[in-house]
């Protein structure tokens, strides 16, 4: 391609991908398959790398990050970012209404109510329809320039796709981590042996200040907009600002309501009190704004906040109960989590008996002691939290809590590395929950997926001395399994034990697990900080375990997305002879330790060029994994039956309509076992 051609292709790809992004994130419509989108994005990325000067400021490649900001510059806000005064009672809200009425005299006025999103305030500037700067609230007068990180927020347009765009303006809103994203992130961190994060708000704030924008992009931060600022803008009311924001395809929460008087405001408050928990974002109250911008100006500001708006905060549901004990859990990687054992108390509809105390710092901060009356809150309605101790009720002498010094499970002395909040049990080889945790991780859904082995069987096998590491699974025999008593049944006179059929199933699924891809095996090894994505990156870069095992620190950090911490953890793992021995036994057992060759290298198979439709549920596959498998063998996967379909792969519970249609179109129906045959041929 000539330079001219490359420029025009960059423009074409930028416009096309921006359009699809806009359709997807602003209009909730997916026009092209993800795979195709990713291919175009890759092409654009490569062209931009080759011609950095041709990269456009609205390039969709910025959504995936890639820039590193060492220090965020401090910049002044054009319009100060004020805060709101808070009210907690009906009376205080009536007082606010009284003040507004008094100030406006005889004039009619309306209120505009919105939810108060519990995230991080953000101000974003646009010039000529293009995003130019993103700034944190900071102290209200000046904040940090986090433009590159702001651009990773996918629902925030990089370029406004609408006709009615003011030349220059600023939007304000709340950046947040959706609740489900937060929950998944913490799940993943737990699996990776990392400390769990306290709440979505702090996580959002920390994420937006990260130096590596590609990590920010992976965190899926979102943003609701609620303010529009600029010179000579056309709107006369806040409602019109919201409409204008919507017309420019900013993400506006549809939860707002215009109210004619304070009674209607109370209705709004009551309506959202419980319903707000169904929203994707945490909320802690509502914001009431005078609708007319003229009237807002008349009302003006106090030193810190506007007189035309106020926040009404919902009482976060809190209860007082007694701390009966502090227990300590040992994770797969040996990390120790202190847990508050509480006298059961009803909170926001559920009985709370336990709450995480996170680590020794948290215990120190709360100065929490066994026997204390403590306040429990369900702030974000996600994890109950101990917010404080009712010191006045501390009767008699309660002993100061001293964090355990030895592992509660194996009595080994705990270690706490410099700058680490968590304590660890270093006895990786023999500490029982670490042993079972590692094996359970190895056979878990995203690793070897040996689902016939549940946690109770694993513990039973460990107690019987039959397994102590993942490689031992492949030496299990039918006779060893038959009659094995499950963990909690041990000692019972009629304890349930493994029967013939179960023993056969277990051995079959262990055998089948040998087809697991290298990336899933690597993830299953449970190397600290090597989650699924990191495992994929490592496999793509190093291709074989032998290359990964012999890589130096420098070679490791050269791989995409591998930083110092991960590299050090990988080196530590492979420096351990026991781990090396496990890997060599797993290799001998026939597990995959090399990246699978792609179709071009494999040559054609019976699936190549054929179109499949997959329906029902399967014993040996997740539906998505089956589709992936078909594609990896050169087949195509369609979503509905048509004259182009060659095979319908039918699992259990296939709908009768699909069956009839397949018969009408004379499409061959494959059962799971005939599909397997076709695959193996
Ligand atoms: S309007 C002049 N609307 O609350 C103040 N703020 O205490 C204009 N917030 O810094 C703010 N949801 O981070 C407004 N619907 C909403 C909001 C909202 C959350 C936050 C925002 C602001 C803080 C004010």
């Amino acid at each position: 391609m000539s330079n001219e051609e490359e420029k025009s292709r960059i423009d074409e790809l930028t416009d096309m991908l921006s359009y699809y992004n806009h359709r997807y994130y602003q209009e909730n419509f997916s026009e092209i398959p993800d795979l195709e989108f990713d291919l175009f994005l890759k092409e654009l990325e490569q062209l931009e790398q080759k011609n950095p000067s041709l990269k456009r400021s609205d390039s969709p490649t910025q959504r995936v990050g890639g820039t590193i900001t060492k220090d965020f510059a401090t910049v002044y806000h054009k319009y100060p970012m004020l805060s709101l005064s808070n009210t907690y009672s009906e009376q205080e809200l009536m007082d606010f209404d009284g003040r507004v009425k008094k100030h406006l005299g005889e004039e009619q006025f309306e209120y505009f109510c919105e939810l108060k999103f519990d995230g991080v305030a953000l101000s974003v500037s646009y010039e000529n329809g293009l995003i130019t700067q993103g700034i944190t609230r900071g102290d209200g007068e000046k904040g940090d320039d986090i433009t590159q990180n702001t651009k990773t927020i996918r629902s925030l347009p990089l370029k406004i796709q609408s006709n009615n765009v003011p030349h220059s303006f600023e939007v304000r809103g709340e950046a947040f981590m959706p609740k489900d994203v937060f929950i998944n992130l913490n799940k993943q961190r737990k699996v990776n042996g990392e400390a769990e994060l306290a709440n979505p708000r702090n996580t959002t704030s920390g994420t937006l200040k990260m130096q590596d924008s590609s990590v920010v992009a992976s965190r899926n931060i979102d943003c609701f907009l609620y303010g529009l600022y600029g010179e000579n803008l056309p709107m006369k009311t806040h409602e019109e600002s919201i409409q204008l924001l919507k017309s420019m395809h900013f993400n506006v929460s549809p939860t707002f309501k215009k109210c004619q008087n304070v009674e209607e405001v109370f209705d709004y408050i009551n309506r959202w009190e419980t319903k707000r928990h169904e929203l994707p974002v945490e909320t802690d109250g509502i914001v009431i704004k005078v609708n007319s911008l003229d009237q807002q100006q008349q009302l003006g500001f106090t030193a810190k906040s506007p007189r035309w708006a106020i926040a009404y905060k919902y009482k976060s549901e809190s209860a007082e109960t007694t701390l009966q004990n502090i227990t300590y859990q040992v994770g797969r990687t040996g990390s120790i989590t202190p847990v508050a054992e509480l006298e059961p108390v009803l909170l926001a509809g559920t009985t709370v008996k336990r709450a995480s105390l996170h680590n020794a710092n948290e215990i120190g901060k709360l100065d929490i002691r066994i026997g204390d009356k403590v306040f429990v809150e369900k702030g974000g309605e996600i994890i109950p939290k101990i917010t404080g101790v009712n010191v006045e009720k501390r009767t008699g002498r309660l002993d100061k809590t001293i964090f355990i010094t030895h592992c509660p499970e194996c009595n080994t002395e705990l270690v706490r590395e410099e700058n680490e909040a968590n304590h660890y049990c270093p006895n990786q080889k023999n500490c029982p929950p670490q042993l079972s945790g590692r094996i359970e991780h190895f056979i878990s859904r995203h690793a070897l997926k040996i689902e016939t082995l549940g946690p109770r069987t694993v513990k039973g096998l460990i107690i019987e001395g039959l397994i102590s590491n993942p490689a031992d699974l492949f030496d299990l025999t039918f006779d060893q399994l038959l009659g094995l008593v499950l963990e909690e049944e041990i000692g019972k006179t009629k304890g349930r034990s493994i029967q013939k059929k179960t023993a056969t199933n277990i051995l079959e699924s262990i055998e089948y697990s040998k087809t697991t891809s290298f990336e899933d095996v690597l993830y299953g090894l449970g190397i600290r900080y090597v989650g699924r994505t990191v495992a994929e990156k490592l496999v793509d870069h190093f291709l074989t375990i032998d290359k990964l095992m012999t890589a130096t620190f420098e070679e490791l950090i050269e791989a995409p997305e591998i930083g110092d911490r991960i590299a050090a953890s990988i080196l530590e793992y492979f420096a351990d002879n026991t781990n090396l021995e496990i890997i060599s036994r797993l290799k001998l057992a026939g597990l995959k330790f090399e990246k699978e060759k792609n179709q071009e290298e494999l040559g054609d198979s019976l699936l190549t060029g054929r179109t499949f439709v997959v329906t029902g549920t399967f014993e040996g596959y997740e539906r998505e994994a089956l589709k992936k498998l078909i594609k990896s063998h050169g087949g195509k996967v369609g979503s509905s039956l048509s004259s182009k379909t060659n095979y319908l792969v039918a699992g259990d519970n296939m709908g009768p309509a699909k069956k009839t249609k397949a018969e009408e179109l004379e499409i061959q129906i494959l059962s799971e076992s005939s599909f397997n045959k076709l695959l193996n041929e």
Side-chain angles (χ1 to χ4, degrees), residues 82-84 114-117 121 137 174 226 287 289 306:
L82 299 176
S83 59
L84 295 165
E114 290 161 3
L115 280 161
K116 189 167 191 301
F117 310 109
R137 178 171 182 274
E174 204 76 357
Y226 48 67
V287 181
K289 300 171 182 175

Side-chain angles (χ1 to χ4, degrees), residues 316-323 340 342-343 345-347 352-355 373-379 383-389:
S316 87
E317 293 183 62
S318 137
E320 198 180 298
T321 186
T322 309
L323 176 71
L342 304 165
E343 186 178 319
V345 61
L346 198 66
L347 191 59
V352 176
K353 293 186 215 144
R354 312 175 90 206
K373 290 275 181 219
V374 296
F375 300 114
V376 198
E377 254 182 38
K378 267 202 159 180
I383 315 162
K385 187 173 164 22
I386 295 188
T387 51
V389 173

